[in-house]
Amino acid sequence: NHVCVELVSTLQQQASQLPISYEIIVADDGSTIASTIEANRAINEYPNCRYMEREENVGRAAIRNFLAEKASMSWLLFIDSDMVVRHPDFLRRYVDTPDEEAVWDGGICVGGDALQLKYNLRYQYERANEHLHTVERRQQEPYRDFHTANFMAPKLLMAQYPFDLRFRHYGYEDVLFGMTLEKHRIPIHHIDNPLSFEVFEENEQLLSKTEEGLRTLFTFRQELKSGSRLLQRVDKIRWLLPLLRLYHQATKKLERRFLLRHPSLFVFSLYRLGYYATLDDR
């Protein structure tokens, strides 16, 4: 449900100026807004570009595997459709990386108008955590700080280590993918080549996505334990979980109403811990 014609146009212009063969494939994972689908069909008019419409939403893992399967080139660059290219040499930086069996993570930066987004919880959260996205920070823990919004990998590697299809719902398929690469000693190189994150959902949508992501985390908690900072935090305060559970059950409606109007990161952190505590009832 996101129009990404401008993103495709920018990528196509940069690719056409490089001494490479290229294609740009956009997979629509079951969009429901007719005007968005119609607008994205313009992608088919750009050279070496195609827009593939799929009626059923299969989830973030399956749609990336689908793209990898349909791609005809030996290297794949995965980009989330709501990212924005700000560097005129964005593609060149990837083309200039060494040709080795590895994954290259370009990272993200946070854009947007601070004044207009003053009450947007997602924007405030991303701004507060922007220091975690620097290349220096990501290089410290290359597997744990891997994200799928902007990364390049060989097609053969993606065929050998695809995303886990059990992750149909929002969240944490990137964490497990990073853990899989670490297990098989596939290098992840973090480079300074960010895309700009400038599309921030409304507070209500963020809270719903957060709850969905926490349910995913709980479902796969045993497999994600070594890769999730939240799970490690929960283990350290396990003695507090009964209290957090009671607190959340008593205040969740109040907290939710508060967060819809006031982007408090402290209250948001309490909400996340409390919601997870209600799932981890043992």
Side-chain angles (χ1 to χ4, degrees):
N1 286 326
H2 185 78
V3 178
C4 55
V5 176
E6 184 176 351
L7 171 61
V8 171
S9 174
T10 301
L11 292 170
Q12 193 276 329
Q13 290 177 35
Q14 288 195 15
S16 66
Q17 296 171 9
L18 295 171
I20 58 171
S21 298
Y22 72 93
E23 62 180 352
I24 300 174
I25 309 172
V26 179
D28 189 317
D29 192 22
S31 286
T32 56
I33 301 175
S35 59
T36 296
I37 297 171
E38 183 60 35
N40 278 329
R41 286 173 179 161
I43 291 168
N44 292 317
E45 305 302 318
Y46 288 86
N48 303 325
C49 300
R50 54 180 166 148
Y51 174 61
M52 306 183 72
E53 300 176 37
R54 294 166 59 89
E55 294 183 1
E56 179 188 0
N57 180 277
V58 296
R60 292 149 59 99
I63 200 65
R64 291 192 178 99
N65 291 345
F66 170 79
L67 280 165
E69 179 184 341
K70 294 298 180 183
S72 61
M73 303 296 173
S74 58
W75 279 90
L76 311 178
L77 173 58
F78 288 86
I79 296 175
D80 284 356
S81 63
D82 56 357
M83 294 289 104
V84 178
V85 179
R86 290 301 181 196
H87 296 292
D89 60 344
F90 169 73
L91 286 184
R92 180 175 293 281
R93 295 185 191 184
Y94 272 123
V95 171
D96 289 344
T97 57
D99 186 11
E100 66 171 277
E101 190 78 357
V103 171
W104 301 84
D105 186 336
I108 66 169
C109 58
V110 183
D113 188 307
L115 186 61
Q116 290 184 357
L117 294 165
K118 182 178 179 181
Y119 297 105
N120 184 279
L121 181 57
R122 181 61 183 270
Y123 173 78
Q124 298 301 332
Y125 178 82
E126 295 296 341
R127 273 295 187 194
N129 290 282
E130 191 171 19
H131 66 284
L132 301 176
H133 302 314
T134 65
V135 65
E136 294 81 12
R137 178 60 183 264
R138 288 184 284 123
Q139 287 172 343
Q140 292 176 14
E141 297 185 273
Y143 295 98
R144 180 178 287 191
D145 286 325
F146 169 77
H147 298 285
T148 52
N150 170 25
F151 78 97
M152 184 176 70
K155 179 179 172 68
L156 289 176
L157 187 147
M158 295 305 302
Q160 188 173 3
Y161 305 109
F163 286 97
D164 193 318
L165 293 179
R166 294 175 300 161
F167 285 70
R168 282 189 56 90
H169 300 289
Y170 177 78
Y172 295 97
E173 78 285 347
D174 52 354
V175 175
L176 186 61
F177 183 72
M179 293 171 64
T180 299
L181 296 180
E182 182 176 24
K183 177 182 177 181
H184 295 281
R185 299 181 180 180
I186 305 297
I188 297 181
H189 300 302
H190 290 270
I191 61 175
D192 187 20
N193 194 23
L195 289 171
S196 184
F197 181 33
E198 300 182 11
V199 178
F200 306 95
E201 61 266 64
E202 297 298 324
N203 295 349
E204 176 73 42
Q205 186 181 1
L206 174 62
L207 292 178
S208 296
K209 285 175 64 175
T210 297
E211 292 172 357
E212 183 180 3
L214 290 171
R215 292 194 296 270
T216 299
L217 180 62
F218 179 72
T219 299
F220 299 101
R221 61 194 179 281
Q222 296 302 327
E223 293 165 81
L224 296 171
K225 192 171 183 178
S226 65
S228 166
R229 291 186 175 94
L230 180 59
L231 287 179
Q232 292 168 7
R233 190 184 316 161
V234 166
D235 274 348
K236 290 179 180 179
I237 61 168
R238 184 156 293 281
W239 59 277
L240 264 178
L241 290 188
L243 291 176
L244 284 170
R245 190 178 305 120
L246 289 173
Y247 170 81
H248 186 76
Q249 291 169 342
T251 64
K252 60 183 178 181
K253 291 183 179 179
L254 181 63
E255 279 186 319
R256 194 179 182 93
R257 284 199 299 268
F258 180 84
L259 287 170
L260 291 178
R261 299 181 181 180
H262 307 283
S264 167
L265 298 183
F266 175 73
V267 175
F268 184 47
S269 180
L270 276 179
Y271 188 87
R272 293 174 68 212
L273 284 172
Y275 187 88
Y276 187 85
T278 63
L279 301 174
D280 195 357
D281 186 5
R282 66 177 190 272

